Amino acid sequence: MRSAFDFAPFRRSTVGFDRLFDMLENSSASQTQENYPPFDLIKLGDNEYRIELAVAGFKPEEIDITAQQNVLLVSGKKSEESENRGQDYVYRGIATRSFERRFALADHIQVRGADLKDGLLAIELVREIPEAMKPRKIDIGGAEGKQSAIEGGEKPASKQTVDAEAEHA
């Protein structure tokens, strides 16, 4: 299903953002998904997040959390023995139906851990950018100038000019 907005001009002028545009185009289809269980998404810091899902009535062994590449899948299924404890319910307001919740994760988001307390499942997330992906300063100059500076012990020509100007000032 196509969205009302055309991303073609952006696709032509960007490299490596295909997944982002696909997600934006398919977002209208995902808005029809069920809203169970409800959740909160909390930003704890620049690179730290927490997802809290309301999973009242579920035990830790009835919940499965799977982190795949750029997708976090949280699913829950009540076991047969806990659903049918021989109790005759007059009214059952606590939802115990099975669920599956998917969260799209950005690149380099890692799941740190999960905890179930007071009916809330808290999943800790952190963005860990590899050293190779972090910004780094690129020096201007050819490889030959750096090689001779290392071997000969002399400064590159651009450094000599700057140092000479500093001495005359």
Side-chain angles (χ1 to χ4, degrees):
M1 175 179 205
R2 301 283 298 176
S3 67
F5 191 79
D6 183 20
F7 292 106
F10 297 109
R11 285 184 186 268
R12 287 191 297 263
S13 62
T14 59
V15 177
F17 290 93
D18 296 335
R19 191 173 145 265
L20 173 65
F21 293 126
D22 290 341
M23 283 177 27
L24 290 171
E25 287 175 347
N26 296 328
S27 67
S28 61
S30 67
Q31 290 176 0
T32 60
Q33 76 181 16
E34 196 172 320
N35 291 327
Y36 177 76
F39 71 93
D40 290 336
L41 179 57
I42 304 163
K43 185 172 183 176
L44 303 172
D46 288 341
N47 294 315
E48 297 177 21
Y49 302 89
R50 181 185 310 130
I51 299 172
E52 291 182 348
L53 287 104
V55 292
F58 284 86
K59 298 176 186 170
E61 57 270 8
E62 297 170 333
I63 298 173
D64 185 39
I65 303 169
T66 306
Q68 299 171 356
Q69 182 176 351
N70 298 61
V71 175
L72 176 66
L73 175 66
V74 181
S75 58
K77 181 165 175 41
K78 294 295 285 181
S79 62
E80 291 295 323
E81 66 184 44
S82 63
E83 278 188 30
N84 302 323
R85 290 188 223 138
Q87 298 173 349
D88 188 18
Y89 288 93
V90 175
Y91 172 75
R92 190 161 191 160
I94 299 174
T96 58
R97 63 184 183 264
S98 297
F99 67 88
E100 184 176 283
R101 223 5 145 156
R102 291 180 185 269
F103 298 94
L105 301 178
D107 292 335
H108 312 298
I109 297 286
Q110 303 294 322
V111 178
R112 276 284 165 100
D115 188 31
L116 180 63
K117 184 177 180 183
D118 298 330
L120 286 178
L121 175 66
I123 303 170
E124 302 292 330
L125 306 169
V126 66
R127 178 179 310 158
E128 294 178 346
I129 300 174
E131 287 296 322
M133 300 296 291
K134 289 184 180 176
R136 64 186 189 281
K137 179 114 171 108
I138 307 298
D139 292 330
I140 299 174
E144 296 172 23
K146 290 186 186 246
Q147 186 68 19
S148 64
I150 293 171
E151 291 174 0
E154 51 186 83
K155 296 179 187 175
S158 61
K159 275 287 212 189
Q160 291 175 353
T161 305
V162 171
D163 289 344
E165 290 175 2
E167 289 176 1
H168 293 312

